Amino acid sequence: QVQLVESGGGLLQAGGSLRLSCAASGRTFSSYSSSYSMGWFRQAPGKEREFVAAIRWRSSNTYYADSAKGRFTISRDKAKNTVSLQMNSLKPEDTAVYYCAADRNYYSDLSEAGSYDVWGQGTQVTVSS
């Protein structure tokens, strides 16, 4: 069993920075954390959920959507069982609900929402122009 809880969303002006965090808990995660990959997705009103970034827990290899490259950084803290998304140079088009997700299948396509088994409740990020 795995639970994910996001935090850190908010309202800010374009050009600002924000750091999102996702705390993972549960016996399954604690026992098998090295086999997990963690991803961040976002969903704007009227749009489909889209991939932002992902990280493999054991190797810390990272993957980014083109829209996130150079501005966003995903990282994980093994001691705290948290995954963070540092977002810089934010734009109004980054406005969305951001979701954290966990995937235990190493061979999954981490850019596909359907690959993930567990999702957090989401945190709102609003960037004003």
Side-chain angles (χ1 to χ4, degrees), residues 93-105:
E93 51 263 45
D94 294 317
T95 295
V97 177
Y98 283 71
Y99 296 90
C100 174
D103 171 27
R104 196 175 164 184
N105 184 352

Side-chain angles (χ1 to χ4, degrees), residues 15 17 24 26-27 38 44-45 47 49 53 56 60 62 66 73 77 88:
S17 298
R27 179 177 295 183
M38 306 295 290
K47 294 188 177 181
R49 193 168 296 191
R56 297 202 185 275
S60 74
T62 57
D66 288 343
T73 302
D77 185 327
N88 300 326

Side-chain angles (χ1 to χ4, degrees), residues 4 29 32-39 54-59 61 63 74 83 101-108 110 115-118:
L4 304 175
F29 189 86
Y32 302 103
S33 59
S34 62
S35 64
Y36 276 90
S37 297
M38 306 295 290
I55 186 168
R56 297 202 185 275
W57 196 262
R58 178 167 54 189
S59 66
N61 287 345
Y63 309 87
I74 188 172
V83 178
D103 171 27
R104 196 175 164 184
N105 184 352
Y106 182 84
Y107 298 102
S108 294
L110 296 181
S115 297
Y116 293 81
D117 311 303
V118 183

Side-chain angles (χ1 to χ4, degrees), residues 1-7 20-34 36-40 55 57 75-84 100-103 118-121:
Q1 198 172 15
V2 179
Q3 295 84 37
L4 304 175
V5 178
E6 302 98 333
S7 61
L20 305 182
S21 291
C22 172
S25 62
R27 179 177 295 183
T28 301
F29 189 86
S30 297
S31 299
Y32 302 103
S33 59
S34 62
Y36 276 90
S37 297
M38 306 295 290
W40 284 98
I55 186 168
W57 196 262
S75 60
R76 59 101 175 90
D77 185 327
K78 282 186 172 181
K80 297 181 179 179
N81 281 352
T82 59
V83 178
S84 297
C100 174
D103 171 27
V118 183
W119 292 83
Q121 82 287 353

